[in-house]
Every structure is written in C-alpha cells, then in structure tokens.
Amino acid sequence: MALRVPPAQVYVPAEDRAWILERIDECLTTGQLTLGKLGRELEERFAAYLGVRHAVAVNSGTSALEIPLRALEIAGGEVLVPANTFFATAAAVIAAGGRPRFVDCDPSTMALDPIALEAAIGPDTIGAIVVHIGGFVSPAIRDIAKVCDNHGIWLVEDAAHAQGSSHEGVMAGRFGAAAAFSFYPTKVMTAGEGGMIVTDDDRIAEEARVYRDQGKAGFLTNLHTRLGYNWRMSEPHAAIAVSQLRRLDEFIAHRQAVAARYDAAVVELGLLPLEIPETARCNYYKYVAYLPDGIDRGAFKQAMRDDHGVGLSGEVYETPLHVQPVFAPFTAGALPGSEHACGRHICLPISAVLTDEQVDIVIESLAEVLAR
C-alpha cells in the first residue's frame, strides 16, 4: 500500500522558497558563498532566540558537538555519554580525543539518570553529555547539572533534536558549558545540512570559530593555531536556516497540536507515551510511546505500513550504543534502562504539516493493529 501518512515531512512554504532563492542568487552574484552575512544573521538570530551570548554556525550537528569538546580539551579524559543516543554523540568524544563511558537512562524521560550519572563518575571523568531525546528536556536536567557541578566536571548538551524546547522557561542549550544543535532535513527546522554551537563562554566561542575554519587564526590568514577542519556552513545553507528559524515557533505549535491529539487517544489503545510535564516545552521532534509487552516492534511497524499506509519514523534509538560493535572497546556491562527504552518504543508520524485527517488515520490504524 502506498503511504497515506509519511513518518516525517520537510516543510518550506512557497514564499520562503522564493526568499531563499533570492538570497542564494545574491550569494552567487557576489561570490560570498561561505562565512558571509547570512551566516552571521543566522548566528545572531539563533543566539537571540535562545538568549545566549554566542552562536557559531557549522556544517553539521556532529561537528557542532565535536568542536566544543575540542575546545574543552578532553584529550585523554573520560566523558560520560548516555547509551540511548545516536552514534555521533559518542563518536564526537572519540574524534576529539576522549574516551566515552556509557551511562544508563531513565526510560520515563529517555534522558540520563542522575543517580546512574553520579555513580559513573570516576577519577578520570572530566565531563558529561546530556541528550534531549525527541526534543524533550527532562525535568531532571537541573539535577544532572547539579551532579556535574558538585563533582567539578562540565556538562555539554547534545540538543540536536531540541530547537525551541525548554524546561521551566530555560531554553535547551542554556544548561551546560556549550550545546550542539542539528539542522539535518528531519529536524524541526532544517538547513539541508548544518549545525549550531551555542555558549555563554567567550573562550569556547572563539575556539569554535577557529576550529571550524581549518584551525586558522583568521579568515584571511593561513596561520593555523588549532588542528581544525572544514566545518564551515555555506551561505546557501544559512539562507535556508534563517527562513526556517523564522517559522520555528509556528512549526512547534503545529507539532504540539498533533501531539495533544495523540495524547488523548493512545493511552486507551495500550500505548504509554512519554509524559511531558507542564514545566517543559517540547518541540515534538519525535512523538515517543512505548508498546505494550509482547508486541514485536518490527512486525507492528510492518503491519502499519503494509496494511494501513502509515510510516512510523526511526526510533531514538533502536540499538543502544553500549551494544554497538564499533564501541565494543568502551563497553562495560548491561544498562537495563537504555536497553528497555531502545527496545520497546515507537515514534508516531509527526511534522509541521500533518493534517487532522492523517492523525485520524494513524489513530485508527493503531487501534486495528494493536487489536490483533
């Protein structure tokens, strides 16, 4: 059956496409295709939106995470990483010269478990990374930050999913020494490709600007002071991101409306959604719910697609990092919370343009497949 409800959709309205094309035409005319005024505009707008001192645009969410880790001089140190996250979270630690140690999550929030975090801190631990899975900033974020502060280690936020999300009025990106955002096409706002580093630390921001441009001391010099790389964001990508940032609150409001309809229906069907407290503003990059015991997730997703034309999006994440073969040298024992979270949840279709009719199709399809 053809898909009646796609798992996700990129949305760039016609008027925004026209605006973007005008800016790209200007870039092509002037020849300013990187590190130009559009990139600076994006950085200024993003910093103002979050209420931070600095935003540094880069070419991906992965480099947005690796660069501040380099600026924090993690070489040889141990960094605590949640096991239920994307490959890039731990890979960035290794690329920056550190050693990841995997920590369990609280399945009710999919975020780091503060008790497990504190228990994992050892003599070589220099920092920790918290991940806002699905765009949800856990109510435990202040406890997580307090644990790090009490032990004299830094906290970095992997906010790849969390553009516009907050807890108690504090935006994602403002809870640690630095934070990394992604603008990959699936995200709530996109640049096609791209990422953003945010921080209130002047030194981290300056280091980030050096690292992203081949480690050069300045744009017009070939004096290299850091082992950087080509991590720049192009001006055309910045144009897309500026247009999307202007729509971010609109996109989030629509996703929240879809999530509210799911909330009203799925519990009666036997699903257990993540509970988002009133103190949190979730952007609903993903709508996460746990399947009842005894249901095979693969067969369930196949039935939703084949029998009802409903595509469920990829999990966050299907396989925890401590059992990924590539991270075998850094694995030490089972992490039951992460294994449960990764193994039992699904993500329902959600986007800035999902219609009421499509939401009805999803709910009706869930009811029929679960009834079997």
Side-chain angles (χ1 to χ4, degrees):
M1 175 183 291
L3 277 185
R4 296 188 293 167
V5 185
Q9 288 177 269
V10 176
Y11 179 46
V12 184
E15 59 266 38
D16 293 6
R17 296 198 299 272
W19 184 91
I20 291 165
L21 290 173
E22 287 179 7
R23 295 325 179 266
I24 292 175
D25 183 68
E26 182 181 347
C27 295
L28 295 172
T29 301
T30 63
Q32 182 71 71
L33 290 168
T34 190
L35 296 182
K37 67 178 185 180
L38 284 170
R40 290 191 295 273
E41 179 182 353
L42 173 62
E43 291 171 338
E44 291 167 3
R45 285 176 175 265
F46 202 79
Y49 182 83
L50 266 62
V52 296
R53 285 174 55 83
H54 303 285
V56 182
V58 292
N59 67 338
S60 74
T62 303
S63 51
L65 188 57
E66 180 180 337
I67 290 170
L69 295 178
R70 287 178 176 266
L72 288 163
E73 300 176 349
I74 73 169
E78 178 182 81
V79 179
L80 305 181
V81 176
N84 60 314
T85 184
F86 184 53
F87 162 85
T89 310
V93 172
I94 296 170
R99 300 190 317 277
R101 179 176 180 182
F102 297 116
V103 180
D104 213 357
C105 79
D106 177 351
S108 69
T109 65
M110 298 190 111
L112 276 173
D113 180 341
I115 296 174
L117 174 65
E118 186 156 31
I121 295 173
D124 296 330
T125 304
I126 60 172
I129 300 175
V130 64
V131 184
H132 306 311
I133 292 290
F136 176 35
V137 181
S138 167
I141 185 64
R142 296 196 186 279
D143 291 334
I144 292 166
K146 185 176 180 180
V147 167
C148 292
D149 188 56
N150 288 344
H151 287 270
I153 65 175
W154 47 256
L155 178 68
V156 164
E157 296 170 71
D158 182 340
H161 297 178
Q163 305 93 338
S165 296
S166 65
H167 172 65
E168 295 181 338
V170 179
M171 300 292 284
R174 294 182 56 197
F175 292 98
F181 291 84
S182 169
F183 302 140
Y184 186 71
T186 61
K187 299 302 189 290
V188 177
M189 62 167 283
T190 184
E193 291 281 4
M196 188 72 78
I197 301 160
V198 301
T199 183
D200 285 326
D201 188 307
D202 295 346
R203 187 192 67 82
I204 292 176
E206 183 56 34
E207 290 281 298
R209 295 184 184 102
V210 171
Y211 272 112
R212 73 172 172 184
D213 190 23
Q214 303 283 10
K216 296 192 299 182
F219 183 57
L220 298 178
T221 180
N222 276 319
L223 181 66
H224 298 262
T225 59
R226 296 289 185 271
L227 194 61
Y229 201 68
N230 175 11
W231 284 315
R232 299 180 298 266
M233 176 186 280
S234 77
E235 289 288 274
H237 287 96
I240 299 170
V242 168
S243 74
Q244 290 272 288
L245 179 58
R246 296 186 330 196
R247 298 270 186 184
L248 181 55
D249 287 337
E250 170 191 328
F251 292 169
I252 292 173
H254 188 90
R255 287 171 175 267
Q256 289 174 330
V258 171
R261 292 202 59 206
Y262 284 151
D263 285 343
V266 299
V267 174
E268 293 184 5
L269 300 178
L271 297 176
L272 180 64
L274 285 185
E275 184 176 345
I276 311 298
E278 292 184 0
T279 55
R281 182 202 196 203
C282 183
N283 70 5
Y284 286 101
Y285 168 59
K286 299 279 188 174
Y287 184 93
V288 178
Y290 287 101
L291 286 167
D293 291 339
I295 291 182
D296 180 276
R297 181 168 62 190
F300 178 86
K301 292 178 68 174
Q302 195 71 39
M304 289 288 289
R305 175 177 285 268
D306 291 350
D307 299 343
H308 299 280
V310 175
L312 301 189
S313 63
E315 287 77 37
V316 282
Y317 287 88
E318 180 180 3
T319 305
L321 298 189
H322 69 292
V323 297
Q324 292 274 8
V326 70
F327 296 125
F330 306 100
T331 296
L335 297 174
S338 298
E339 290 161 20
H340 173 78
C342 290
R344 297 302 305 153
H345 79 276
I346 57 172
C347 297
L348 300 185
I350 196 162
S351 73
V353 289
L354 199 70
T355 66
D356 286 343
E357 291 76 16
Q358 287 175 314
V359 174
D360 289 339
I361 291 170
V362 173
I363 293 170
E364 292 163 5
S365 302
L366 287 171
E368 290 188 27
V369 175
L370 287 167
R372 299 180 198 169

